[in-house]
Amino acid sequence: MEQEGKPRRVRLTPGARRVLEAAERLFYEHGIHAVGVDLIAAEAGVTKKTLYDRFGSKEQIVVEYLAGRDERWRDLLAVRLEEAGEGAAARIEAVFEASRAWSERYGAKGCSMINAYAEISDPDHPAYPVITGQKRWMLDLFTGLAREVDAAGADRLARTLMLLHEGALVTHGVGVLPDSFGTALDQVRDLLGR
């Protein structure tokens, strides 16, 4: 049974893992709509029948791709927030540092959620709640941290942090600024009086 707001997920067999690994690489490099199931199956070394037996549809592969990336991001961020310690300002900075590290390793083309949203803006698509849920989760994270810094101005600070974060992700992906996360961090430190 699906939890409210949580997408249906599939159990990953070894063949399904190969499909998902191939799909993740292909979707991120070329875009979701540009990649067909024939190519995914060929790259994974499985038949289309195996792909459909495991996932049921391309849409479910997209859900698994995005949900998997989101889980890995949240895991990385949890470690970075723990390492940052108790101070909210230090944890806010840690979010931006974690995003920088993630983007340098996994995000040469920007945020996979933002990229997916450019292709999937239909709220009825099964991956839509994964995309929007990840961004809402980030706003909630910033809101909680902002309350620790300035309870009265928390909403405004959280929204500003979210915009700086998302802007850094986008500009990193398109290569507009040489150090988008450094630029965003400078602004964050100004906001926090650090």
Side-chain angles (χ1 to χ4, degrees), residues 63-81:
V63 167
E64 297 297 330
Y65 154 61
L66 293 171
R69 279 185 74 99
D70 184 38
E71 288 169 358
R72 290 191 305 277
W73 161 244
R74 291 183 195 210
D75 289 346
L76 171 90
L77 187 54
V79 170
R80 295 297 182 99
L81 290 171

Side-chain angles (χ1 to χ4, degrees), residues 43-138:
E43 291 281 323
V46 301
T47 64
K48 273 183 26 179
K49 180 181 182 333
T50 297
L51 183 146
Y52 283 114
D53 285 348
R54 300 296 179 262
F55 293 95
S57 67
K58 179 182 172 183
E59 287 79 13
Q60 187 62 39
I61 298 170
V62 174
V63 167
E64 297 297 330
Y65 154 61
L66 293 171
R69 279 185 74 99
D70 184 38
E71 288 169 358
R72 290 191 305 277
W73 161 244
R74 291 183 195 210
D75 289 346
L76 171 90
L77 187 54
V79 170
R80 295 297 182 99
L81 290 171
E82 174 107 5
E83 291 170 352
E86 292 299 314
R91 291 195 322 253
I92 290 168
E93 288 181 28
V95 173
F96 285 83
E97 292 291 358
S99 292
R100 173 191 273 160
W102 174 275
S103 294
E104 287 171 357
R105 183 164 183 194
Y106 304 111
K109 291 188 156 206
C111 176
S112 58
M113 299 297 165
I114 293 169
N115 296 345
Y117 186 78
E119 296 187 68
I120 302 168
S121 58
D122 178 2
D124 292 330
H125 192 286
Y128 186 85
V130 178
I131 299 164
T132 57
Q134 197 273 343
K135 296 306 177 187
R136 283 191 190 102
W137 183 84
M138 287 299 300

Side-chain angles (χ1 to χ4, degrees), residues 171-192:
T171 54
H172 171 81
V174 295
V176 182
L177 299 175
D179 182 13
S180 59
F181 290 101
T183 301
L185 264 168
D186 288 343
Q187 294 300 308
V188 167
R189 289 179 181 123
D190 285 348
L191 282 170
L192 300 175

